[in-house]
């Protein structure tokens, strides 16, 4: 049985932050970025992965898979059944995030649904058949803004971050993506272990290590999938997490989203359908820092017309991985 860490020292926290910014960075690159010996990095990071404190995975970009329908749901549940509902949702292979919100009677989840039939089955059959579910609202994700994925809890300097990982904001349109035969197997393998060696990836995909490396690079550069390091944000000092459902004037939606997604507290930012057309996941050091973010960052944005702030009480699944 894995016994996950309850606290990390400063070195482990900076190593973890580095692997959030660059999930497949080599141990030599991590050591150079942090000014550590490679031996120290190897020794420490092996323990972090071994006990499940860090987990490496990959998440598909639904914009590059036309059949996928990305949907965010806010589900109202009976409080005495909410954990059972959240765990049932987390067991589904089409959920990416599952969080318990607010006063303990609401779940927020993101689905990547395999086409209209899967969407209709969820909304018209599965949810209505669940007695513990009272109501829900559905929001289709129209665009995800990638700069938010560089969240490092302020543990890396801008110089370190720039050296380690390129800015994820696309400066040009993504190149056209033609799926190769090996891609499905590669994506499945990376979802299970985002740091699998090229030899292991080649074995899973029935190809050579060189081909596996080239295809992985093409998948990342083509924004087909995002490599990710999953962990408990509290270990890096984030004690206050919240989802913000923000209503923004349509003409200013893109500018507002880009402004917020670049903020160090923002973990996720996406434009959605519905009266709240922007959903933002925030991870701050404490409630005071969250308050300051709302007043000093969101407050001055004149295009914001309404905001619903919902604190996260518990995370059940994130980046497709169920929490221990």
């Amino acid at each position: 049985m894995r016994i996950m860490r309850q606290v990390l020292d400063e070195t482990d926290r900076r190593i973890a932050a580095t692997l959030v910014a660059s999930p497949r960075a080599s141990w030599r690159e991590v050591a150079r970025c942090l000014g550590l010996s490679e031996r120290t990095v190897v020794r420490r990071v092996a323990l972090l992965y071994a006990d499940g404190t860090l987990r490496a995975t990959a998440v598909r970009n639904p914009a590059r898979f036309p059949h996928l329908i990305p949907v965010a749901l806010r589900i109202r549940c009976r409080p005495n059944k909410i954990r059972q509902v959240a765990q049932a949702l987390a067991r589904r292979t089409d959920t990416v995030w599952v969080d318990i919100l607010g006063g303990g009677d609401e779940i927020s989840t993101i689905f990547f649904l395999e086409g209209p039939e899967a969407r209709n089955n969820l909304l018209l059959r599965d949810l209505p058949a669940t007695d513990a579910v009272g109501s829900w609202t559905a929001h289709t994700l129209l665009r995800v803004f990638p700069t938010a994925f560089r969240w490092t809890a302020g543990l890396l300097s801008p110089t370190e971050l720039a050296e380690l990982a390129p800015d994820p904001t696309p400066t040009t349109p993504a190149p056209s993506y033609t799926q190769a035969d090996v891609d499905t197997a590669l994506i499945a393998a990376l979802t299970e272990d985002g740091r699998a060696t090229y030899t292991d990836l080649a074995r899973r995909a029935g190809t050579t290590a060189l081909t596996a490396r080239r295809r992985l690079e093409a998948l990342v550069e083509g924004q087909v999938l995002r490599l990710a390091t999953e962990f408990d944000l509290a270990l890096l000092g984030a004690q206050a997490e919240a989802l913000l459902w923000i209503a923004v004037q349509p003409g200013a939606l893109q500018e507002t989203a880009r402004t917020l997604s670049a903020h160090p507290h923002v973990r996720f930012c996406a434009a959605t359908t519905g009266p709240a057309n922007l959903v933002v996941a925030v991870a701050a050091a404490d409630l005071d820092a969250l308050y300051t973010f709302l007043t000093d960052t969101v407050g001055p944005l004149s295009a914001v017309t309404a905001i619903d702030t919902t604190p996260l009480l518990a995370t059940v699944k994130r980046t497709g991985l169920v929490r221990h």
Side-chain angles (χ1 to χ4, degrees):
M1 179 179 176
R2 290 178 172 180
I3 301 176
M4 294 179 63
R5 312 285 185 91
Q6 299 301 310
V7 65
L8 299 180
D9 66 20
E10 185 68 13
T11 298
D12 282 344
R13 292 172 73 199
R14 279 175 49 79
I15 289 173
T18 302
L19 291 168
V20 170
S22 185
R24 280 186 70 90
S26 71
W27 306 144
R28 180 175 297 176
E29 290 171 330
V30 174
R32 184 176 65 246
C33 174
L34 300 180
L36 300 171
S37 72
E38 187 173 348
R39 181 176 180 179
T40 295
V41 169
V42 170
R43 175 173 54 82
R44 285 176 173 261
V45 84
L47 295 174
L48 291 171
Y49 281 114
D51 64 15
T53 299
L54 298 181
R55 292 188 290 171
T57 187
V59 181
R60 290 177 296 173
N61 176 4
R64 306 295 269 163
F65 294 85
H67 68 287
L68 283 183
I69 301 176
V71 175
L73 288 182
R74 299 182 67 175
I75 304 171
R76 290 282 185 180
C77 300
R78 288 160 47 191
N80 64 331
K81 296 290 186 180
I82 196 164
R83 282 198 173 273
Q84 292 165 269
V85 174
Q87 289 164 358
L89 290 169
R91 287 192 292 271
R92 293 179 57 124
T93 58
D94 54 7
T95 53
V96 183
W97 284 12
V98 180
D99 292 309
I100 298 175
L101 303 178
D105 63 349
E106 183 179 358
I107 293 171
S108 172
T109 181
I110 291 179
F111 285 83
F112 285 175
L113 297 164
E114 300 279 345
E117 184 177 358
R119 177 196 58 201
N120 294 345
N121 286 341
L122 173 68
L123 299 178
L124 302 178
R125 183 193 67 189
D126 299 346
L127 289 176
T130 306
D131 291 338
V133 172
S135 63
W136 61 89
T137 57
H139 309 258
T140 301
L141 302 185
L142 300 176
R143 178 168 298 181
V144 175
F145 294 84
T147 53
F149 298 131
R150 292 163 67 88
W151 184 91
T152 61
L155 290 166
L156 299 182
S157 70
T159 300
E160 290 170 331
L161 190 57
E163 176 184 339
L164 187 69
D167 188 335
T169 305
T171 55
T172 59
S176 59
Y177 168 57
T178 302
Q179 183 167 334
D181 292 339
V182 301
D183 288 354
T184 299
L186 282 178
I187 291 171
L190 288 163
T191 300
E192 293 176 13
D193 180 6
R195 289 196 63 92
T197 66
Y198 293 114
T199 299
D200 288 340
L201 292 174
R203 177 178 53 79
R204 287 283 300 270
T207 187
T208 66
L210 179 59
T211 297
R213 178 170 188 160
R214 287 175 175 169
R215 288 310 305 167
L216 188 157
E217 290 172 352
L219 291 170
V220 173
E221 291 172 4
Q223 302 162 37
V224 176
L225 82 169
R226 175 176 66 88
L227 300 170
T229 300
E230 173 56 20
F231 63 102
D232 182 351
L233 304 189
L235 291 174
L236 297 191
Q239 301 296 331
E241 291 189 68
L243 282 182
L244 312 182
W245 305 87
I246 304 174
V248 182
Q249 295 173 8
L253 180 58
Q254 178 139 317
E255 180 183 355
T256 302
R258 285 178 171 171
T259 297
L260 292 176
S261 67
H263 193 280
H265 290 347
V266 172
R267 282 274 292 163
F268 176 81
C269 181
T272 74
T273 59
N277 53 2
L278 193 64
V279 59
V280 177
V282 176
D286 51 32
L287 292 176
D288 186 63
L290 176 59
Y291 175 81
T292 300
F293 175 80
L294 293 173
T295 57
D296 295 4
T297 300
V298 181
L301 299 175
S302 59
V304 172
T305 59
I307 182 169
D308 179 8
T309 303
T310 53
L312 268 63
L313 300 185
T315 293
V316 184
K317 187 177 189 178
R318 191 162 285 173
T319 57
L321 299 177
V322 178
R323 283 286 175 90
H324 299 300

